[in-house]
Amino acid sequence: MDGRFTPAVDGARRADLDPATGATLAMVADGGEADADLAVAAARRAFDDGRWSRRSARERQEVLLRLAQLILDNAAELAVLETLDAGKLIADTSAFDIPGSAAILKWYAEIIDKIPGEIPPTGEGDLALVTREPLGVVGAIVPWNYPLETAIWKLAPALVTGNSVVLKPAEDSPLTALRLAELAIQAGLPDGVLNVVPGPGPVVGRALGRHPDVDAITFTGSTAVGRLFMTYAGESTLKPVWLECGGKSANVVFADAADLDRVADGVIAGIFTNQGQVCSANSRLLVQRAVQDALLERVLDRVRGIRPGDPLDPATAMGPLVSVKQAERVRGFIETGRGEGTLLAGGSEVAGSPTAAYVPPTVFGDVAPDAVIAQEEIFGPVLAVTPFDTEEEAIRIANGSRYGLAASLWSDSLARVHRVAPRLRAGTVSVNRVDAIDVAVPFGGFGQSGFGRDLSAHALDQYTGLKTTWIDYR
């Protein structure tokens, strides 16, 4: 807080555990409401005195470009921290998560001086100027599945537009956020502009949501917690709340998708990347009955080749879940699934695993569209397979979810793609691939997946307000 490490006001600390081994990595300050108050006060001072908010776009750009380079300079350390903290594969953190975070930060830094204001047409003798103004203090609450990258999704557009931020990382993965704050000071970000308060969501998250001096909330996490932030806003200042919540994405495969090996690779990536702990994971496989057996044969063959193991080993294909608690939750859904479909692969246990945080890749066949495992966000390596016969049936099943974050569509028919894709209620529809994502493209959903949009220039709208300055020069 305010540019320096500090203990929690009440001295509380929390053990941060390595899910792969159960070892304690560090004792981390366990913040409370008083810590949130101090962080917000620091952020408010930093915003009001203009040490960041009134700097030019190019000055802010230079600082954030230095921070992006520092992330790259410290990429090995950050990748190992992320792997130890969250159980993520080192192959992913080193190749994607850390360099991707730097690239996103760089993209926003480079775009900010290229977004002009507006001069709308008005009457003679009048001049109206429309500018983007930073909102003030932003509370950012991020999840544990992509700790650094999701934080950058929020921080980059918030900081580059001149806001101050209080960031609450997830309890299970706070380390890279704390290291990022250190690097930000090294890059030249003024004290108080970025504050990181680890602590329990029901305490620190609620304090930020209700705080009268927080001007906006951005949140990625479960739909249940997203609802709470909407309530907090109503109980306090009607602050804007931007939500990116849960998902139950459908992976729809039509019989005219000829390359089933490519489809099978997509199915595996869509559900088992990051142990299935992805909000947009393609956890529902809807496959046209004519190719169901052929596709499942390929999918199951690939599943048998996935051996959960040490996430620090570059050869490991699947690591542990983020915590034993999360693994127990997933195992509960697997036990439910035994009564709802046919267990084709996996199950509850990984033989010989060093901790109970490991769950094997699991596939259920013949799952009814309204089954629990086809409706609830499991957030683990569990795939529910449902056959269909017709195009209309596929659309109905795919849209038969309260979520609307993402979907995939596999077909070699251009006509079918253009018919079906617009009717899939999802923020992103990936055609002949899974989970398409890029910093230049907005990410978010419909329904109970929330209504915020991360990434792209559209995200800047969430951290700025439009201000009209009307000049009468007659």
Side-chain angles (χ1 to χ4, degrees), residues 186-226:
Q186 187 178 337
L189 193 71
D191 293 350
V193 175
L194 172 59
N195 308 273
V196 180
V197 184
V203 179
V204 177
R206 180 179 60 189
L208 293 176
R210 289 178 169 172
H211 204 292
D213 223 16
V214 171
D215 299 294
I217 289 288
T218 177
F219 168 78
T220 294
S222 72
T223 298
V225 177

Side-chain angles (χ1 to χ4, degrees), residues 89-114:
L89 298 181
I90 192 68
D92 290 343
T93 58
S94 59
F96 303 110
D97 296 32
I98 307 308
S101 297
I104 291 167
L105 183 56
K106 183 179 179 183
W107 189 90
Y108 276 105
E110 290 177 338
I111 197 177
I112 194 58
D113 62 350
K114 302 171 183 67

